[in-house]
Amino acid sequence: KAGVTQTPRYLIKTRGQQVTLSCSPISGHRSVSWYQQTPGQGLQFLFEYFSETQRNKGNFPGRFSGRQFSNSRSEMNVSTLELGDSALYLCASSLITGFGEQFFGPGTRLTVL
Amino acid sequence: AQTVTQSQPEMSVQEAETVTLSCTYDTSESDYYLFWYKQPPSRQMILVIRQEAYKQQNATENRFSVNFQKAAKSFSLKISDSQLGDAAMYFCAYRSAQSNFGNEKLTFGTGTRLTIIP
């Protein structure tokens, strides 16, 4: 069974631009969560989607948004990029039932210049 | 809000020896899950071991085991017979068990970088 895939793997943008990151969960997984990882702030929860609905949101400004499609694929968008948005963005999917173990993708490394 | 604390930014251990990584957490909930994730230089987060709070028995996965002390809110990871491939960042994480829908959020500690000395 294929794992969680994220595209693109690397991205370089300039301040003020916007960016869209994509995440394809493991087949059958309906929950997708996004995390931002930076050296200064560590791993921080961005948001979680289940059945195309945002179920939970972390403490990030409105420039960070996301959505989930009917096939459970998810995208996150960051508008008006700032230097501080440079980070590794990780996506995780889970089955929800039972333990709800989360399986992580390889991440998208975003660099904002 | 829940918090997870890892007080050891770095640890090192001789190959084949045993090492214990510490984790404490704070929560007012009675039912939750605890996890240890490993993040090697490739950056791929890999689940190492998990523990359900309502289970008193400590989880074990091959060379990895935990010491779960619910009253003390402590969740340490023991790695036995350390191998070079164990070198990575290790993150302790907490997840509420209140609901299976809309509660997948993991709260992570700051991580412990483990170095294996050949």
Side-chain angles (χ1 to χ4, degrees):
Chain A
K1 190 181 261 191
V4 178
T5 58
Q6 292 187 246
T7 57
R9 293 292 309 278
Y10 301 91
L11 208 48
I12 298 175
K13 292 285 187 179
T14 55
R15 280 182 299 173
Q17 287 187 309
Q18 77 165 27
V19 67
T20 299
L21 312 182
S22 180
C23 171
S24 292
I26 292 172
S27 177
H29 286 195
R30 296 168 61 194
S31 172
V32 173
S33 299
W34 289 88
Y35 297 85
Q36 181 196 63
Q37 185 176 22
T38 60
Q41 299 298 317
L43 280 152
Q44 292 186 288
F45 172 78
L46 278 157
F47 25 63
E48 172 198 342
Y49 287 88
F50 177 76
S51 291
E52 303 177 62
T53 302
Q54 188 180 89
R55 302 286 178 152
N56 204 349
K57 190 177 190 304
N59 189 25
F60 278 82
R63 300 184 298 107
F64 291 81
S65 63
R67 59 178 174 169
Q68 187 180 34
F69 301 94
S70 58
N71 62 357
S72 294
R73 189 177 70 86
S74 177
E75 289 181 347
M76 67 163 282
N77 184 77
V78 187
S79 63
T80 319
L81 284 167
E82 300 177 359
L83 295 178
D85 297 333
S86 294
L88 180 69
Y89 289 88
L90 293 168
C91 165
S93 75
S94 68
L95 269 172
I96 287 288
T97 57
F99 240 117
E101 175 186 337
Q102 292 196 38
F103 295 83
F104 282 82
T108 293
R109 169 75 65 187
L110 171 65
T111 301
V112 182
L113 303 176
Chain B
Q2 296 80 28
T3 58
V4 178
T5 301
Q6 293 179 250
S7 58
Q8 307 154 313
E10 296 184 356
M11 293 279 286
S12 60
V13 63
Q14 293 277 354
E15 194 175 2
E17 296 295 308
T18 296
V19 64
T20 299
L21 308 184
S22 301
C23 172
T24 58
Y25 58 94
D26 190 28
T27 183
S28 58
E29 298 176 335
S30 59
D31 199 12
Y32 48 86
Y33 303 111
L34 295 166
F35 306 87
W36 278 97
Y37 278 90
K38 167 185 176 181
Q39 188 178 42
S42 68
R43 292 298 193 176
Q44 179 82 48
M45 293 283 278
I46 302 164
L47 179 65
V48 174
I49 198 166
R50 60 195 185 194
Q51 174 81 41
E52 295 143 299
Y54 66 85
K55 286 188 176 178
Q56 291 188 342
Q57 185 175 6
N58 289 323
T60 299
E61 288 285 343
N62 301 312
R63 299 182 294 108
F64 299 87
S65 62
V66 298
N67 183 4
F68 172 49
Q69 302 289 328
K70 190 172 184 179
K73 296 180 181 174
S74 170
F75 183 61
S76 61
L77 174 69
K78 185 172 82 171
I79 306 174
S80 304
D81 185 26
S82 297
Q83 300 175 359
L84 294 177
D86 295 333
M89 280 289 285
Y90 284 82
F91 292 96
C92 179
Y94 171 102
R95 185 199 143 209
S96 172
Q98 283 188 343
S99 169
N100 277 336
F101 297 92
N103 220 354
E104 299 297 294
K105 172 187 174 182
L106 289 170
T107 301
F108 287 92
T110 51
T112 296
R113 183 175 303 281
L114 179 65
T115 300
I116 310 297
I117 303 167

Coordinates of all heavy atoms in Angstrom, one line a residue, chain A residues 4 9 31 33 35 37 42-45 48 50 55-58 88 90 94-107 109, chain B residues 32-35 37 39 42-47 50-55 89 91 95 99-110:
Chain A
V4 N 1.9 8.0 2.4 CA 1.4 9.4 2.2 C 2.4 10.1 1.3 O 3.6 10.0 1.5 CB 1.4 10.1 3.6 CG1 0.9 11.6 3.4 CG2 0.4 9.4 4.5
R9 N 8.2 18.4 -3.2 CA 9.1 18.1 -2.1 C 9.9 19.3 -1.7 O 10.1 19.5 -0.5 CB 10.0 17.0 -2.5 CG 9.4 15.6 -2.7 CD 8.8 15.1 -1.4 NE 9.8 15.1 -0.3 CZ 10.7 14.2 -0.1 NH1 10.8 13.2 -0.9 NH2 11.6 14.3 0.9
S31 N -8.8 11.0 7.3 CA -8.4 12.1 8.1 C -7.0 12.6 7.6 O -6.1 11.7 7.4 CB -8.3 11.7 9.5 OG -7.7 12.8 10.3
S33 N -4.0 15.6 8.5 CA -3.6 16.7 9.4 C -2.3 17.3 8.8 O -1.5 16.6 8.2 CB -3.3 16.1 10.8 OG -4.4 15.6 11.4
Y35 N 1.1 19.8 9.7 CA 2.0 20.3 10.8 C 3.1 21.2 10.1 O 3.6 20.9 9.0 CB 2.7 19.2 11.5 CG 1.7 18.3 12.3 CD1 1.1 17.3 11.7 CD2 1.4 18.6 13.6 CE1 0.1 16.5 12.4 CE2 0.5 17.8 14.3 CZ -0.1 16.8 13.7 OH -1.0 16.0 14.4
Q37 N 7.0 22.4 10.8 CA 8.2 22.1 11.6 C 9.3 23.2 11.3 O 9.7 23.3 10.1 CB 8.7 20.7 11.3 CG 9.9 20.3 12.2 CD 10.3 18.9 12.1 OE1 10.1 18.3 11.0 NE2 11.0 18.4 13.1
G42 N 9.6 24.2 16.6 CA 9.3 22.8 16.6 C 8.2 22.4 15.7 O 7.9 23.0 14.7
L43 N 7.5 21.3 16.1 CA 6.4 20.8 15.4 C 5.1 21.4 15.9 O 4.7 21.2 17.0 CB 6.3 19.3 15.5 CG 7.3 18.5 14.6 CD1 7.6 17.2 15.3 CD2 6.6 18.2 13.3
Q44 N 4.4 22.1 15.0 CA 3.1 22.8 15.4 C 2.0 22.3 14.5 O 2.1 22.3 13.3 CB 3.3 24.3 15.3 CG 4.3 24.8 16.4 CD 4.2 26.4 16.4 OE1 4.7 27.0 15.5 NE2 3.6 26.9 17.4
F45 N 0.9 22.1 15.1 CA -0.3 21.6 14.4 C -1.0 22.8 13.7 O -1.2 23.9 14.2 CB -1.3 21.0 15.4 CG -2.7 20.7 14.9 CD1 -2.9 19.6 14.2 CD2 -3.7 21.6 15.2 CE1 -4.1 19.3 13.7 CE2 -5.0 21.3 14.7 CZ -5.2 20.1 13.9
E48 N -6.7 20.1 10.7 CA -7.1 18.7 10.5 C -8.4 18.6 9.7 O -9.3 19.4 10.0 CB -7.3 18.0 11.8 CG -7.9 16.6 11.7 CD -8.4 16.1 13.0 OE1 -8.1 16.7 14.1 OE2 -9.2 15.2 13.0
F50 N -11.4 16.0 8.0 CA -12.1 14.7 7.9 C -13.3 14.9 7.1 O -14.1 15.8 7.4 CB -12.4 14.2 9.3 CG -13.1 12.9 9.3 CD1 -12.4 11.7 9.0 CD2 -14.5 12.8 9.6 CE1 -13.1 10.5 9.0 CE2 -15.1 11.6 9.6 CZ -14.4 10.5 9.3
R55 N -11.9 20.0 11.0 CA -12.4 19.6 12.3 C -11.6 20.3 13.4 O -12.1 20.3 14.5 CB -12.2 18.1 12.4 CG -12.9 17.3 11.4 CD -14.4 17.3 11.6 NE -15.1 16.6 10.5 CZ -16.3 15.9 10.7 NH1 -16.9 16.0 11.9 NH2 -16.8 15.3 9.7
N56 N -10.4 20.8 13.1 CA -9.6 21.3 14.2 C -8.6 22.3 13.5 O -8.2 22.0 12.4 CB -8.9 20.2 14.9 CG -8.5 20.5 16.3 OD1 -8.6 21.7 16.7 ND2 -8.0 19.6 17.1
K57 N -8.3 23.3 14.2 CA -7.3 24.3 13.7 C -6.4 24.7 14.8 O -6.7 25.0 15.9 CB -8.1 25.5 13.2 CG -7.3 26.5 12.3 CD -8.1 27.6 11.8 CE -7.4 28.5 10.8 NZ -6.1 29.0 11.3
G58 N -5.1 24.9 14.4 CA -4.1 25.3 15.3 C -4.1 26.8 15.3 O -4.8 27.5 14.7
L88 N 9.5 23.1 7.2 CA 9.1 21.8 6.6 C 7.6 21.6 6.9 O 7.2 21.7 8.1 CB 9.9 20.7 7.2 CG 9.6 19.2 6.7 CD1 10.1 19.1 5.3 CD2 10.3 18.2 7.6
L90 N 4.6 19.1 7.1 CA 4.3 17.7 7.1 C 2.8 17.4 7.1 O 2.0 18.1 7.7 CB 4.9 17.1 8.4 CG 6.4 17.1 8.5 CD1 6.9 16.7 9.9 CD2 7.0 16.1 7.5
S94 N -4.7 9.3 8.7 CA -5.1 8.3 9.7 C -6.5 7.7 9.3 O -7.2 8.4 8.6 CB -5.0 8.8 11.1 OG -6.1 9.7 11.3
L95 N -6.7 6.6 9.9 CA -8.0 5.9 9.7 C -9.1 6.4 10.5 O -10.3 6.2 10.3 CB -7.9 4.4 9.9 CG -7.5 3.5 8.7 CD1 -7.2 2.1 9.2 CD2 -8.6 3.5 7.7
I96 N -8.8 7.1 11.6 CA -9.7 7.7 12.6 C -10.1 6.6 13.6 O -10.1 6.8 14.8 CB -11.0 8.3 12.0 CG1 -10.7 9.6 11.3 CG2 -12.1 8.4 13.0 CD1 -10.4 10.7 12.3
T97 N -10.5 5.4 13.2 CA -10.9 4.4 14.1 C -9.8 3.9 15.0 O -8.7 3.9 14.6 CB -11.6 3.2 13.4 OG1 -10.6 2.7 12.5 CG2 -12.7 3.7 12.5
G98 N -10.2 3.5 16.2 CA -9.2 2.9 17.1 C -8.1 3.9 17.5 O -8.4 5.0 17.9
F99 N -6.9 3.4 17.4 CA -5.8 4.3 17.7 C -5.7 5.5 16.9 O -5.2 6.5 17.4 CB -4.5 3.4 17.6 CG -3.8 3.3 18.8 CD1 -3.6 2.0 19.4 CD2 -3.2 4.4 19.5 CE1 -2.9 1.9 20.6 CE2 -2.5 4.2 20.7 CZ -2.3 3.0 21.2
G100 N -6.1 5.4 15.7 CA -6.0 6.6 14.8 C -4.5 6.9 14.6 O -4.2 8.1 14.5
E101 N -3.7 5.9 14.5 CA -2.3 6.1 14.2 C -2.1 7.0 13.0 O -2.7 6.7 12.0 CB -1.5 4.8 14.1 CG -0.1 4.9 13.7 CD 0.6 3.6 13.4 OE1 0.0 2.6 13.9 OE2 1.6 3.6 12.7
Q102 N -1.3 8.0 13.1 CA -1.0 8.9 12.0 C 0.3 8.5 11.3 O 1.3 8.2 11.9 CB -0.9 10.3 12.5 CG -2.2 10.9 13.1 CD -2.2 12.4 13.2 OE1 -1.6 13.1 12.4 NE2 -2.8 12.9 14.3
F103 N 0.1 8.4 10.0 CA 1.2 8.1 9.1 C 1.6 9.4 8.4 O 0.8 10.1 7.8 CB 0.8 7.1 8.1 CG 0.5 5.7 8.7 CD1 -0.7 5.5 9.3 CD2 1.5 4.7 8.8 CE1 -1.0 4.3 9.8 CE2 1.2 3.5 9.4 CZ 0.0 3.3 9.9
F104 N 2.9 9.7 8.5 CA 3.4 11.0 7.9 C 4.0 10.8 6.5 O 4.6 9.8 6.2 CB 4.5 11.6 8.8 CG 4.0 12.2 10.1 CD1 3.6 11.4 11.2 CD2 3.8 13.6 10.1 CE1 3.1 12.0 12.3 CE2 3.3 14.2 11.3 CZ 2.9 13.4 12.4
G105 N 3.8 11.9 5.8 CA 4.5 12.0 4.5 C 5.9 12.5 4.6 O 6.3 12.8 5.7
P106 N 6.6 12.6 3.5 CA 8.0 13.0 3.6 C 8.2 14.5 3.8 O 9.3 15.0 4.1 CB 8.6 12.6 2.2 CG 7.4 12.6 1.3 CD 6.2 12.2 2.2
G107 N 7.1 15.3 3.6 CA 7.2 16.7 3.9 C 7.5 17.5 2.6 O 8.0 17.0 1.6
R109 N 9.5 21.0 1.8 CA 10.4 22.0 2.4 C 10.2 23.3 1.6 O 10.5 23.4 0.4 CB 11.9 21.6 2.2 CG 12.9 22.6 2.5 CD 13.1 22.9 3.9 NE 13.6 21.8 4.6 CZ 13.7 21.7 6.0 NH1 13.3 22.7 6.7 NH2 14.2 20.7 6.6
Chain B
Y32 N -6.2 9.2 26.9 CA -5.3 9.8 25.8 C -4.4 8.8 25.3 O -4.3 7.6 25.8 CB -4.6 11.0 26.3 CG -3.9 10.8 27.7 CD1 -2.6 10.3 27.7 CD2 -4.5 11.1 28.9 CE1 -2.0 10.1 28.9 CE2 -3.9 10.9 30.1 CZ -2.6 10.4 30.1 OH -2.0 10.2 31.3
Y33 N -3.7 9.1 24.3 CA -2.6 8.3 23.7 C -1.3 9.0 23.7 O -1.2 10.2 23.6 CB -3.0 7.9 22.2 CG -4.3 7.3 22.0 CD1 -5.3 8.0 21.3 CD2 -4.6 6.0 22.4 CE1 -6.6 7.4 21.1 CE2 -5.8 5.4 22.2 CZ -6.8 6.1 21.5 OH -8.0 5.5 21.3
L34 N -0.3 8.2 23.9 CA 1.1 8.8 23.9 C 1.9 8.0 22.8 O 1.7 6.8 22.6 CB 1.8 8.6 25.2 CG 1.1 9.4 26.4 CD1 1.6 9.0 27.7 CD2 1.4 10.9 26.2
F35 N 2.8 8.7 22.1 CA 3.5 8.2 21.1 C 5.0 8.6 21.1 O 5.3 9.7 21.7 CB 3.0 8.6 19.7 CG 1.5 8.4 19.5 CD1 0.6 9.3 19.9 CD2 1.1 7.3 18.8 CE1 -0.8 9.1 19.7 CE2 -0.2 7.0 18.6 CZ -1.2 8.0 19.0
Y37 N 7.8 9.2 18.2 CA 8.1 9.2 16.8 C 9.6 9.4 16.6 O 10.3 10.1 17.4 CB 7.4 10.3 16.1 CG 5.9 10.0 15.7 CD1 4.9 10.3 16.6 CD2 5.6 9.5 14.5 CE1 3.6 10.0 16.3 CE2 4.3 9.2 14.1 CZ 3.3 9.5 15.0 OH 2.0 9.2 14.7
Q39 N 12.5 10.7 13.8 CA 12.7 11.4 12.6 C 14.2 11.4 12.2 O 15.0 12.2 12.7 CB 12.2 12.9 12.7 CG 12.2 13.7 11.4 CD 11.7 15.1 11.5 OE1 12.1 15.8 12.5 NE2 10.9 15.5 10.6
S42 N 16.5 11.9 6.9 CA 15.6 12.0 5.7 C 14.3 12.8 6.0 O 13.6 13.1 5.1 CB 15.2 10.6 5.3 OG 14.3 10.0 6.3
R43 N 14.0 13.1 7.3 CA 12.9 13.9 7.7 C 11.6 13.1 7.8 O 10.6 13.7 8.1 CB 12.7 15.2 6.9 CG 13.9 16.1 7.1 CD 13.9 16.6 8.5 NE 14.7 17.8 8.7 CZ 14.9 18.5 9.8 NH1 14.2 18.1 10.8 NH2 15.6 19.5 9.9
Q44 N 11.6 11.9 7.4 CA 10.3 11.1 7.4 C 10.0 10.7 8.8 O 10.8 10.0 9.5 CB 10.5 9.8 6.6 CG 9.3 8.9 6.5 CD 8.3 9.4 5.5 OE1 8.6 9.7 4.4 NE2 7.0 9.4 5.9
M45 N 8.9 11.1 9.3 CA 8.5 10.8 10.7 C 8.0 9.3 10.7 O 7.1 9.0 10.0 CB 7.3 11.7 11.2 CG 7.8 13.2 11.3 SD 8.7 13.4 12.8 CE 7.3 13.5 14.0
I46 N 8.5 8.6 11.7 CA 8.2 7.2 11.7 C 7.7 6.9 13.2 O 8.4 7.2 14.1 CB 9.4 6.3 11.4 CG1 9.9 6.6 10.0 CG2 9.1 4.8 11.5 CD1 11.3 6.1 9.8
L47 N 6.6 6.2 13.3 CA 6.1 5.9 14.6 C 6.9 4.7 15.2 O 7.1 3.7 14.5 CB 4.6 5.4 14.5 CG 4.0 5.0 15.8 CD1 3.9 6.2 16.8 CD2 2.6 4.4 15.6
R50 N 3.6 3.2 20.8 CA 2.4 3.9 21.2 C 1.9 3.3 22.5 O 2.1 2.1 22.8 CB 1.4 3.9 20.2 CG 0.9 2.5 19.8 CD 0.1 2.5 18.5 NE -0.4 1.2 18.3 CZ -0.9 0.8 17.1 NH1 -1.0 1.6 16.1 NH2 -1.4 -0.5 17.0
Q51 N 1.2 4.1 23.3 CA 0.7 3.7 24.5 C -0.7 4.3 24.8 O -0.9 5.5 24.6 CB 1.6 4.1 25.7 CG 1.2 3.8 27.1 CD 1.4 2.4 27.5 OE1 2.5 1.8 27.3 NE2 0.4 1.8 28.2
E52 N -1.6 3.4 25.2 CA -3.0 3.9 25.5 C -3.0 4.2 27.0 O -2.5 3.4 27.8 CB -4.0 2.9 25.2 CG -4.1 2.6 23.7 CD -4.4 1.2 23.4 OE1 -3.6 0.3 23.7 OE2 -5.5 0.9 22.8
A53 N -3.5 5.3 27.4 CA -3.4 5.8 28.8 C -4.1 4.8 29.8 O -3.8 4.7 30.9 CB -3.9 7.2 29.0
Y54 N -5.2 4.2 29.3 CA -6.0 3.3 30.1 C -5.3 2.0 30.4 O -5.7 1.2 31.2 CB -7.4 3.1 29.6 CG -7.5 2.4 28.3 CD1 -7.5 1.0 28.3 CD2 -7.5 3.0 27.1 CE1 -7.6 0.3 27.1 CE2 -7.6 2.3 25.9 CZ -7.7 1.0 25.9 OH -7.8 0.3 24.7
K55 N -4.3 1.7 29.6 CA -3.5 0.4 29.8 C -2.4 0.6 30.8 O -1.5 1.5 30.5 CB -3.0 -0.1 28.5 CG -4.1 -0.7 27.6 CD -3.5 -1.3 26.3 CE -4.5 -2.0 25.5 NZ -3.9 -2.6 24.3
M89 N 16.2 12.2 15.4 CA 15.5 13.0 16.4 C 14.3 12.1 16.9 O 13.6 11.5 16.1 CB 15.0 14.3 15.8 CG 16.0 15.3 15.7 SD 16.5 16.1 17.3 CE 15.0 17.1 17.6
F91 N 10.8 12.3 19.0 CA 9.7 13.2 19.5 C 8.7 12.4 20.3 O 8.2 11.3 19.8 CB 9.0 13.9 18.3 CG 9.9 14.9 17.6 CD1 10.5 14.5 16.4 CD2 10.0 16.2 18.0 CE1 11.3 15.4 15.7 CE2 10.8 17.1 17.4 CZ 11.4 16.7 16.2
R95 N -1.9 12.7 22.2 CA -3.2 12.9 21.4 C -4.3 12.5 22.4 O -4.3 11.5 23.0 CB -3.2 12.0 20.2 CG -4.4 12.2 19.3 CD -4.7 11.0 18.4 NE -6.1 10.8 18.3 CZ -6.7 9.7 18.1 NH1 -6.0 8.6 18.0 NH2 -8.0 9.6 17.9
S99 N -12.4 12.0 21.4 CA -13.2 11.8 20.2 C -12.4 11.3 19.1 O -11.3 11.7 18.9 CB -14.0 13.0 19.8 OG -14.6 12.8 18.5
N100 N -12.9 10.4 18.3 CA -12.2 9.9 17.2 C -12.4 10.8 16.0 O -11.8 10.5 14.9 CB -12.6 8.4 16.9 CG -11.8 7.5 17.7 OD1 -10.7 7.8 18.2 ND2 -12.4 6.3 17.9
F101 N -13.3 11.8 16.1 CA -13.6 12.6 14.9 C -13.2 14.0 15.2 O -13.7 14.7 16.1 CB -15.0 12.5 14.6 CG -15.4 11.1 14.1 CD1 -15.9 10.2 15.1 CD2 -15.3 10.7 12.8 CE1 -16.3 9.0 14.7 CE2 -15.6 9.4 12.4 CZ -16.2 8.6 13.4
G102 N -12.2 14.5 14.5 CA -11.8 15.9 14.7 C -10.9 16.0 15.9 O -10.8 17.1 16.5
N103 N -10.2 15.0 16.3 CA -9.3 15.1 17.4 C -8.0 14.3 17.2 O -7.5 13.7 18.0 CB -9.9 14.5 18.7 CG -9.6 15.4 19.9 OD1 -8.8 16.3 19.8 ND2 -10.2 15.1 21.0
E104 N -7.5 14.4 15.9 CA -6.3 13.7 15.6 C -5.1 14.5 15.9 O -4.0 14.1 15.7 CB -6.3 13.4 14.1 CG -7.4 12.6 13.6 CD -7.4 11.2 14.2 OE1 -6.4 10.4 13.9 OE2 -8.3 10.9 15.0
K105 N -5.3 15.7 16.4 CA -4.1 16.6 16.7 C -3.1 16.0 17.6 O -3.4 15.5 18.7 CB -4.7 17.9 17.3 CG -3.6 18.8 17.8 CD -4.1 20.0 18.6 CE -3.0 20.9 19.2 NZ -3.6 22.0 20.0
L106 N -1.9 16.0 17.2 CA -0.8 15.6 18.0 C 0.0 16.8 18.6 O 0.2 17.7 17.8 CB 0.2 14.8 17.2 CG -0.2 13.3 16.7 CD1 0.8 12.8 15.7 CD2 -0.3 12.4 17.9
T107 N 0.2 16.7 19.8 CA 1.0 17.8 20.5 C 2.4 17.2 20.7 O 2.5 16.1 21.4 CB 0.4 18.2 21.8 OG1 -0.9 18.7 21.5 CG2 1.3 19.3 22.5
F108 N 3.4 17.8 20.1 CA 4.8 17.2 20.2 C 5.6 17.9 21.2 O 5.5 19.1 21.5 CB 5.5 17.4 18.8 CG 4.9 16.5 17.8 CD1 3.9 16.9 16.9 CD2 5.5 15.2 17.6 CE1 3.4 16.0 15.9 CE2 5.0 14.4 16.6 CZ 4.0 14.8 15.8
G109 N 6.6 17.2 21.7 CA 7.7 17.8 22.5 C 8.7 18.3 21.6 O 8.6 18.3 20.3
T110 N 9.8 18.9 22.1 CA 10.8 19.6 21.3 C 11.8 18.7 20.7 O 12.6 19.1 19.9 CB 11.5 20.7 22.1 OG1 12.0 20.1 23.4 CG2 10.6 21.8 22.5

